[in-house]
């Protein structure tokens, strides 16, 4: 059939079942945008107008983390394309699939300096700036290339280690027509996930059976796998404590007796003790980044001079990259977990073991410490108390999004995700401004589930314009802004490393006094319910009201700093 380049892209997106296309139109993407118009008119796709291209990628990222299916993002040429850099970097580091298409200079016009082309160093090569942030990039030189490029892009995104892809689409290619046949997606993609080598699995099981202090470390891939029941079965088969990285939090039910919280620089005493004193660690889908490892200092988070490591990952490059392993297994963690369970045989009798009893005692001590912190009285609610009130009131299956800052760290340490609740956060790229748009993507992916966006005021102000998108499309997320009038995480870092006298440049001040916009009033101006609270007990009440309304809402919590 004869289709324009824009129509080829849009028809293939329909064939892949992409439900939403997000972006901002411009002169450089009009050929594709016209094809999108026809798709929307036919009821095949929905279009969402974001207010910044970065937010479009964050929304698609949040959607994929819940649904496991990619959305499409489009941009015009030049600034629109480069506005996606932070979103792509976040998705790439956290192995999240996003399809991005960006307009580009006409093939025959490259180098003349058309509007928004950068040509001084090299003719129209903005895609070069995005290459380190994507799993793969393409520039289409003709409409006839597009069926193959589209098929390959989805294959790259959705197989192996997931990640974003970018296609640069010159303006003439969008408008030119070609006789093409669109490929069927299922004929070009692996149907089965890779299993581990059977001999390596047997060796791993032998090592596991000899362990006295076994630990399973779950990374971000374990959360994306969404296989809680399987991971519980694995832990109970081995009798191992389960520790999660920040990216893996909520991959395992946090009220299970074998759950051991977290390790790393933002970890808990329970998790740190477990991982540094383990004799065997089975690591599933984690890359041992510096925050997880306390910057690789031996004996702090881990001690692989004495601990045996079994490292399982779908990406062979991660195995042995940061720590030597006794056994490295390349394979999908779900498949390998099943193989280990089958090879293990009779499950361990762990319930009455001294190891399990000590774990329960250590966890009780940690929870008692948290409760002690939450009982402290100040003139305003603390972040710890705020997290506690969320823990008390949020229903099963709630999704909570966070991004870089103290809210992220304290939710990680103090909130127990149970009854199907899900934690989404920015991992290795530690992006600010992710929470708000990602929460909307998560809500689009699971409209039946409550979604809470928990973030600080500094984080919120980076993408707060997307309240407009939330109101426009009536996306019922409850936004909880912990306002401490500061980039507090960096202030704390300065104080801890350099001393109180070296604290500088993080407090929001005007004429020497604390400064803050009225965020509740800002939300109201956007057409969203906004309210401001500050006393203990008020967050819980406000969140319950907002959830009951079924509408978008913003709760500004004036927190003690």
């Amino acid at each position: 059939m004869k289709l324009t380049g824009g129509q080829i892209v849009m028809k293939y997106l329909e064939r892949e079942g992409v439900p939403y296309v997000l972006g901002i139109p411009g002169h450089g993407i009009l050929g594709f945008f016209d094809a999108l118009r026809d798709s929307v008119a036919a009821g095949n796709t929905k279009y969402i107008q974001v207010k910044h291209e970065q937010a479009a990628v964050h929304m698609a990222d949040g959607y994929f983390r819940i649904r496991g299916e990619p959305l499409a993002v489009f941009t015009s040429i030049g600034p629109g394309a480069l506005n996606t850099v932070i979103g792509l970097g976040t998705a790439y580091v956290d192995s999240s699939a996003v399809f991005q298409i960006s307009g580009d200079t006409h093939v025959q016009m490259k180098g003349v300096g058309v509007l928004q082309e950068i040509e001084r160093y090299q003719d129209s090569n903005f895609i070069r700036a995005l290459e380190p942030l994507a799993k793969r990039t393409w520039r289409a030189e003709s409409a006839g290339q597009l069926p193959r490029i589209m098929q390959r892009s989805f294959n790259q995104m959705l197989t192996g280690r997931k990640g974003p892809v970018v296609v640069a689409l010159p303006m003439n290619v969008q408008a030119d027509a070609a006789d093409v046949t669109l490929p069927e997606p299922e004929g070009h993609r692996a149907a089965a996930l890779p299993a581990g080598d059977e001999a390596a699995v047997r060796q791993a099981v032998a090592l596991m059976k000899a362990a006295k202090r076994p630990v399973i470390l779950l990374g971000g891939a374990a959360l994306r796998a969404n296989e809680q029941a399987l991971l519980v079965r694995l832990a109970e088969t081995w009798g191992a404590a389960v520790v999660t990285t920040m990216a893996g939090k909520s991959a395992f039910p946090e009220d299970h007796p074998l759950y051991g919280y977290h390790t790393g620089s933002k970890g808990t005493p329970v998790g740190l003790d477990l991982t540094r004193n383990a004799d065997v660690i089975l690591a599933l889908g984690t890359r041992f980044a510096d925050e997880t490892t306390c910057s690789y200092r031996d004996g702090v988070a881990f001690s692989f001079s004495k601990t045996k490591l079994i490292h399982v990952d779908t990406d062979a490059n991660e195995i042995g990259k940061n720590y030597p392993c006794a056994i490295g297994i390349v394979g999908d963690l779900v498949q390998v977990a099943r193989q280990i369970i089958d090879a293990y045989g009779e499950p361990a009798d762990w319930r009455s073991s001294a190891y399990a009893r000590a774990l329960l005692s250590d966890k009780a001590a940690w929870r008692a410490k948290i409760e002690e912190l939450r009982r402290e009285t100040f003139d305003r609610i603390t972040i710890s108390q705020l997290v506690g009130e969320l823990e008390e009131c949020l229903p099963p299956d709630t999704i909570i999004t966070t991004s870089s800052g103290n809210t992220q760290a304290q939710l990680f340490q103090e909130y127990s995700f149970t009854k199907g609740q899900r934690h989404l956060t920015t991992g290795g790229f530690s992006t600010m401004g992710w929470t708000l748009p990602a929460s909307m993507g998560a809500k689009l992916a699971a409209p039946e589930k409550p979604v809470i966006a928990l973030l600080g005021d500094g984080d919120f102000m980076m993408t707060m314009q997307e309240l407009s998108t939330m109101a426009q499309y009536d996306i019922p997320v409850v936004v909880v802004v912990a306002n401490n009038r500061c980039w507090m995480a960096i202030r704390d870092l300065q104080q801890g490393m350099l001393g109180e006298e070296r604290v500088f440049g993080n407090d929001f001040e005007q004429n020497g006094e604390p400064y803050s916009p009225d965020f509740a009033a800002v939300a109201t101006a956007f057409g969203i319910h906004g309210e401001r609270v500050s006393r203990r007990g008020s967050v819980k009440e406000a969140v319950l009201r907002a959830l009951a309304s079924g509408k978008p809402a913003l709760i500004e919590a004036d927190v003690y700093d």
Side-chain angles (χ1 to χ4, degrees), residues 198-264:
E198 290 289 352
V201 169
R202 288 194 297 271
Q203 291 172 353
V205 167
L207 187 58
M208 291 164 66
K209 286 189 171 185
K212 302 298 182 187
R213 295 186 57 82
V215 170
I216 297 172
L217 180 67
L218 300 178
L223 178 60
R224 291 188 296 275
N226 197 24
E227 288 277 0
Q228 270 202 4
L230 176 67
L231 295 174
V232 167
R233 190 176 162 213
L234 175 64
E236 291 182 348
T237 296
W238 189 19
V242 177
V243 173
T244 54
T245 67
M246 182 179 288
K249 185 173 175 67
S250 77
F252 195 87
E254 299 189 353
D255 54 355
H256 191 282
L258 287 173
Y259 188 65
Y261 295 105
H262 320 294
T263 193

Side-chain angles (χ1 to χ4, degrees), residues 202-362:
R202 288 194 297 271
Q203 291 172 353
V205 167
L207 187 58
M208 291 164 66
K209 286 189 171 185
K212 302 298 182 187
R213 295 186 57 82
V215 170
I216 297 172
L217 180 67
L218 300 178
L223 178 60
R224 291 188 296 275
N226 197 24
E227 288 277 0
Q228 270 202 4
L230 176 67
L231 295 174
V232 167
R233 190 176 162 213
L234 175 64
E236 291 182 348
T237 296
W238 189 19
V242 177
V243 173
T244 54
T245 67
M246 182 179 288
K249 185 173 175 67
S250 77
F252 195 87
E254 299 189 353
D255 54 355
H256 191 282
L258 287 173
Y259 188 65
Y261 295 105
H262 320 294
T263 193
S265 60
K266 294 185 176 73
T268 63
V270 182
L272 285 160
D273 181 72
L274 285 168
T275 54
R276 72 169 156 255
N277 292 309
D279 53 0
V280 178
I281 292 178
L282 172 63
L284 299 177
T286 181
R287 60 196 180 97
F288 288 103
D290 71 315
E291 283 220 336
T292 298
T293 63
C294 293
S295 299
Y296 310 101
R297 291 171 293 164
D298 188 58
V300 181
F302 299 96
S303 185
F304 286 115
S305 57
K306 60 183 181 181
T307 302
K308 302 295 185 184
L309 173 62
I310 304 166
H311 197 175
V312 178
D313 205 288
T314 193
D315 184 351
N317 294 314
E318 295 295 350
I319 294 175
K321 182 178 80 174
N322 290 327
Y323 286 121
C325 51
I327 301 165
I329 301 176
V330 179
D332 177 77
L333 71 86
V334 171
Q335 297 288 71
V336 175
R338 289 174 178 149
Q339 289 176 285
I340 289 173
I341 292 168
D342 290 343
Y344 200 95
E346 187 70 22
D349 182 14
W350 56 270
R351 292 188 182 275
S352 60
S353 69
Y355 183 55
R357 290 198 305 272
L359 174 57
L360 290 173
S361 176
D362 291 345

Side-chain angles (χ1 to χ4, degrees), residues 12 67 101 115 120 162 165 241 313 319 380 408 425 440 453 455 478:
Y12 191 81
R67 193 89 172 205
I101 189 164
L115 181 65
R120 288 182 207 165
K162 312 300 190 294
V165 297
D313 205 288
I319 294 175
R380 285 163 286 162
Q408 179 194 53
T425 197
M440 290 191 283
L455 68 172
V478 177

